[in-house]
């Protein structure tokens, strides 16, 4: 894959792991720290997705809504992203590393300055280790390289919401 190359997503991924996040798999929910965790433990929490690729953006949104009950808002440009983040009570952002012809360095820097409590997970096609580390050092909660299975994005979102609720961050 070349940097910036679109990665095709197959809509069948929503069916491939139909039971992956089903509470029916477990006889009892996971109990950690006095809390019983299920895939719907964070139902109603607000997530914004910023990605110029409509298909990828909508597939991630649909998965997070259907599997985890999250309230997901999607945008394709930085101006719309800031409008939502500044007007709403947002818990987490999932952003594409390559947005509007640039990497998301400026966006991450602005997020850390203006909304330090907002968790940010970065999605990207193949990039250098330096770029990945740059994003993490700037405050990204996670950096996920595409192609990836959609459940990996869901797991990262749920993990960071859980740790945020516990008042701690993930050590990378």
């Amino acid at each position: 894959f070349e940097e910036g190359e679109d990665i095709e997503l197959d809509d069948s991924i929503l069916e491939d792991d139909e039971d992956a996040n089903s509470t029916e798999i477990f006889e009892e929910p996971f109990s950690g720290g006095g809390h019983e965790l299920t895939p719907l433990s964070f139902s109603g929490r607000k997530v914004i997705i910023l990605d110029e690729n409509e298909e990828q953006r909508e597939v991630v949104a649909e998965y997070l809504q259907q599997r985890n009950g999250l309230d997901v808002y999607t945008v394709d440009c930085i101006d719309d992203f800031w409008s939502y983040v500044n007007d709403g009570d947002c818990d987490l952002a999932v952003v594409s590393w390559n947005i509007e012809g640039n990497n998301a360095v400026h966006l991450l820097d602005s997020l850390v300055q203006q909304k330090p409590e907002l968790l940010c997970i970065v999605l990207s096609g193949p990039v250098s280790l330096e770029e990945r580390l740059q994003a993490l050092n700037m405050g990204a909660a996670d950096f996920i390289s595409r192609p990836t299975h959609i459940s990996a994005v869901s797991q990262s979102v749920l993990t960071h919401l859980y740790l945020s609720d516990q008042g701690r961050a993930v050590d990378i």
Side-chain angles (χ1 to χ4, degrees):
F1 295 102
E2 296 294 319
E3 185 174 335
E5 179 181 352
D6 285 338
I7 299 169
E8 296 296 319
L9 291 177
D10 181 0
D11 288 340
S12 68
I13 62 173
L14 291 176
E15 292 115 28
D16 285 348
D17 67 343
E18 186 173 308
D19 294 323
N21 291 324
S22 170
T23 56
E24 296 172 14
I25 293 175
F26 306 102
E27 291 182 20
E28 296 181 26
F30 170 75
S31 181
H35 297 87
E36 290 187 351
L37 298 177
T38 70
L40 296 174
S41 290
F42 302 100
S43 182
R45 298 289 289 273
K46 295 181 181 169
V47 175
I48 184 168
I49 299 173
L50 169 62
D51 195 329
E52 291 175 318
N53 184 306
E54 180 180 7
E55 181 182 1
Q56 291 181 22
R57 183 177 70 237
E58 296 305 322
V59 167
V60 173
E62 181 179 348
Y63 189 93
L64 293 175
Q65 289 167 336
Q66 289 181 0
R67 302 281 191 224
N68 305 120
L70 298 171
D71 182 10
V72 182
Y73 185 74
T74 64
V75 295
D76 64 356
C77 69
I78 292 174
D79 288 341
D80 290 346
F81 174 84
W82 281 114
S83 292
Y84 181 81
V85 168
N86 289 326
D87 290 343
D89 182 25
C90 192
D91 298 299
L92 187 137
V94 177
V95 302
S96 175
W97 181 243
N98 296 310
I99 195 74
E100 296 181 359
N102 297 303
N103 65 29
V105 169
H106 180 69
L107 178 66
L108 280 174
D109 187 46
S110 297
L111 271 176
V112 169
Q113 299 300 317
Q114 297 175 33
K115 298 282 186 181
E117 72 284 355
L118 182 62
L119 299 169
C120 184
I121 295 171
V122 177
L123 294 176
S124 177
V127 296
S128 69
L129 177 60
E130 287 98 10
E131 285 182 281
R132 294 168 59 86
L133 293 175
Q134 180 182 20
L136 293 169
N137 287 330
M138 291 183 72
D142 202 354
F143 195 108
I144 302 172
S145 294
R146 297 180 218 187
T148 188
H149 196 279
I150 196 77
S151 64
V153 177
S154 175
Q155 179 179 344
S156 181
V157 167
L158 296 178
T159 298
H160 291 299
L161 288 173
Y162 173 77
L163 292 174
S164 174
D165 286 354
Q166 301 303 307
R168 57 184 201 246
V170 176
D171 292 327
I172 296 176

